[in-house]
Amino acid sequence: GQNIDQPTEMTATEGAIVQINCTYQTSGFNGLFWYQQHAGEAPTFLSYNVLDGLEEKGRFSSFLSRSKGYSYLLLKELQMKDSASYLCAVRLYYGNNRLAFGKGNQVVVIP
Amino acid sequence: DVKVTQSSRYLVKRTGEKVFLECVQDMDHENMFWYRQDPGLGLRLIYFSYDVKMKEKGDIPEGYSVSREKKERFSLILESASTNQTSMYLCASSRGQAYTEAFFGQGTRLTVV
């Protein structure tokens, strides 16, 4: 089985930096994804980590530590449009590399 | 642009009806997935397919079946719809075993009355 944990909600101010954590306990870890989902819309891909370390992509960065079963997504220079749910997902070796999701972290950006 | 298209955005069906949700992708992806998304529960995998005519159960397959007769199309079937199947259904696709991105359709909001 697998267990993927994320905090449920956080509020942050426009222009600030927010860190969204994800911890996982899975068998057959084979990569971690972050997705953004605005209310009523489909999830859209943000980042992918398979090796330890930081991946940077503009205002978004994602970090992975496989030994700790831990990842975070860092959002810098927050904008109002960043208000969304952020989903952490683990790709699993077994079951033909299926994708298992956490419950998502709702980020609310306030002026 | 990668496109994953679900046949309906909103559906209302009666209890006991047979319901078909269709998903088509245009990127020749091997893998296709069906999830349902409920408040407080996140995305849960119902079924997935890694090749034509191949299917594997996800975490919550009960009450559902799937069909993949062509590579680009993956159908989710509710044999006899029940009110607890009211949910947002999301289809996704990805390429190969070592995929680094999965693409989602816009979702189908199904209400069973």
Side-chain angles (χ1 to χ4, degrees):
Chain A
Q2 63 270 0
N3 193 35
I4 302 167
D5 280 321
Q6 301 181 246
T8 51
E9 188 169 322
M10 50 180 39
T11 301
T13 308
E14 199 174 9
I17 298 173
V18 70
Q19 178 173 314
I20 304 166
N21 297 321
C22 173
T23 57
Y24 62 89
Q25 292 170 300
T26 62
S27 47
F29 174 87
N30 193 22
L32 189 139
F33 297 74
W34 283 98
Y35 279 82
Q36 180 191 59
Q37 186 178 25
H38 287 102
E41 296 182 14
T44 54
F45 171 78
L46 288 178
S47 71
Y48 168 73
N49 296 67
V50 66
L51 299 176
D52 291 351
L54 190 68
E55 294 279 343
E56 297 191 76
K57 219 188 234 187
R59 292 191 300 116
F60 296 89
S61 305
S62 57
F63 172 82
L64 176 67
S65 167
R66 289 172 296 169
S67 62
K68 293 181 180 171
Y70 169 68
S71 174
Y72 67 73
L73 180 71
L74 200 66
L75 283 64
K76 301 175 207 165
E77 300 166 22
L78 272 180
Q79 301 175 9
M80 298 301 290
K81 67 179 182 180
D82 297 330
S83 290
S85 184
Y86 291 85
L87 313 177
C88 167
V90 173
R91 190 177 72 201
L92 304 168
Y93 262 129
Y94 67 84
N96 284 289
N97 287 284
R98 53 181 287 184
L99 207 56
F101 282 83
K103 293 177 183 177
N105 183 326
Q106 183 69 42
V107 172
V108 177
V109 181
I110 56 176
Chain B
D1 260 3
V2 174
K3 202 135 193 209
V4 180
T5 305
Q6 294 181 228
S7 52
S8 305
R9 194 74 196 261
Y10 299 96
L11 268 182
V12 180
K13 296 291 181 181
R14 294 196 179 278
T15 302
E17 273 193 80
K18 190 168 186 175
V19 181
F20 292 86
L21 302 183
E22 306 284 346
C23 176
V24 177
Q25 50 94 4
D26 65 359
M27 288 306 293
D28 200 36
H29 283 172
E30 290 80 10
N31 308 314
M32 295 189 76
F33 308 84
W34 274 108
Y35 292 89
R36 64 178 282 178
Q37 186 173 33
D38 301 288
L41 296 176
L43 271 82
R44 293 179 292 165
L45 183 64
I46 305 170
Y47 267 97
F48 67 105
S49 169
Y50 53 91
D51 202 350
V52 176
K53 297 193 187 292
M54 305 301 287
K55 60 186 178 186
E56 290 211 20
K57 292 180 181 178
D59 298 316
I60 50 163
E62 296 77 21
Y64 303 95
S65 62
V66 290
S67 172
R68 191 151 180 218
E69 295 297 317
K70 292 185 177 180
K71 192 175 186 181
E72 67 270 18
R73 188 180 295 270
F74 193 35
S75 304
L76 180 69
I77 304 151
L78 286 66
E79 295 292 341
S80 177
S82 63
T83 54
N84 63 14
Q85 293 177 309
T86 291
S87 187
M88 170 69 87
Y89 289 88
L90 288 160
C91 174
S93 74
S94 66
R95 180 183 298 284
Q97 292 285 308
Y99 63 91
T100 56
E101 186 172 353
F103 299 87
F104 282 83
Q106 78 278 23
T108 297
R109 170 75 62 188
L110 173 67
T111 302
V112 183
V113 298

